[in-house]
Amino acid sequence: MFKIHSVIFLIGLTLISACKNTKTKEPATTTVSTTSKKNIKVYNYDELEPLLQTQSDTTYIINFWATWCAPCVKELPHFNAYYEKHKNEKMKMIMVSMDDPKEIETRILPFIKKKKIQQEVVILDDPDANTWIDKIDPHWSGALPFTILFNKNSASYFEKPFSSTEALENAIKNNLH
């Protein structure tokens, strides 16, 4: 009889602790560490927003793209070439993937490896696009690719693919003061 009561007590305790409502909230940002040693952070817009601002002399290049976007894939070599040429300068390039975070292991990481993307890659996972697109740029339709070039003095927005590395370099040189 003691064993039956003990088992019932343990089952009840397990059920109570499993259903316990905790007030602690897990942060929305998650980092997926992978075997390829590439960490990919998943952000909602509020977590991404600080990356879209600076008070430093660093030039920031933020490119919104997706593996399923043909113009995005076509322009990736230009971003890779620019990054390789300027990575030791005051420049930070962040590639913001609009892919489904559930596809990190199956689609995104193999794509990054195949395309030899060395710059930082993050995923924006925020379903309220109608709100955050306007916060980034009220003129942005939401189409991909979309690139932001900025430093502490100015910012420029491009809702088009870059056709060459030179076009990207010229956009940076001509639009940032």
Side-chain angles (χ1 to χ4, degrees), residues 41-56:
K41 292 182 180 170
V42 180
Y43 293 108
N44 64 32
Y45 177 75
D46 290 336
E47 295 161 330
L48 180 71
E49 188 175 32
L51 300 177
L52 306 178
Q53 306 165 22
T54 188
Q55 292 301 315
S56 74

Side-chain angles (χ1 to χ4, degrees), residues 103-173:
E103 297 182 318
I104 289 175
E105 295 290 337
T106 58
R107 183 179 186 131
I108 301 166
L109 285 171
F111 182 88
I112 289 169
K113 185 177 180 181
K114 179 180 177 186
K115 297 296 182 180
K116 299 179 177 147
I117 298 172
Q118 297 300 310
Q119 51 274 39
E120 182 177 0
V121 176
V122 301
I123 296 175
L124 177 57
D125 184 27
D126 193 321
D128 194 11
N130 291 329
T131 300
W132 60 258
I133 287 173
D134 284 344
K135 288 179 182 176
I136 291 174
D137 179 14
H139 303 290
W140 182 20
S141 72
L144 297 176
F146 183 76
T147 304
I148 308 169
L149 309 174
F150 67 96
N151 59 24
K152 69 179 182 181
N153 299 317
S154 63
S156 297
Y157 305 88
F158 300 87
E159 186 174 4
K160 64 174 187 157
F162 286 96
S163 58
S164 67
T165 306
E166 293 74 29
L168 178 58
E169 286 180 353
N170 288 336
I172 293 166
K173 182 173 66 175

Side-chain angles (χ1 to χ4, degrees), residues 14-83:
T14 302
L15 290 173
I16 289 170
S17 64
C19 296
K20 183 178 170 185
N21 183 10
T22 61
K23 299 261 181 190
T24 58
K25 185 178 177 185
E26 290 293 318
T29 302
T30 56
T31 300
V32 177
S33 184
T34 63
T35 55
S36 68
K37 297 182 182 174
K38 187 96 173 157
N39 290 332
I40 297 183
K41 292 182 180 170
V42 180
Y43 293 108
N44 64 32
Y45 177 75
D46 290 336
E47 295 161 330
L48 180 71
E49 188 175 32
L51 300 177
L52 306 178
Q53 306 165 22
T54 188
Q55 292 301 315
S56 74
D57 292 331
T58 301
T59 296
Y60 284 81
I61 303 159
I62 312 291
N63 179 256
F64 292 82
W65 66 285
T67 59
W68 43 262
C69 167
C72 301
V73 173
K74 189 174 180 179
E75 77 172 355
L76 274 175
H78 311 310
F79 283 91
N80 291 347
Y82 185 89
Y83 179 78

Side-chain angles (χ1 to χ4, degrees), residues 6-18:
S6 296
V7 170
I8 292 172
F9 174 76
L10 288 174
I11 291 172
L13 188 60
T14 302
L15 290 173
I16 289 170
S17 64

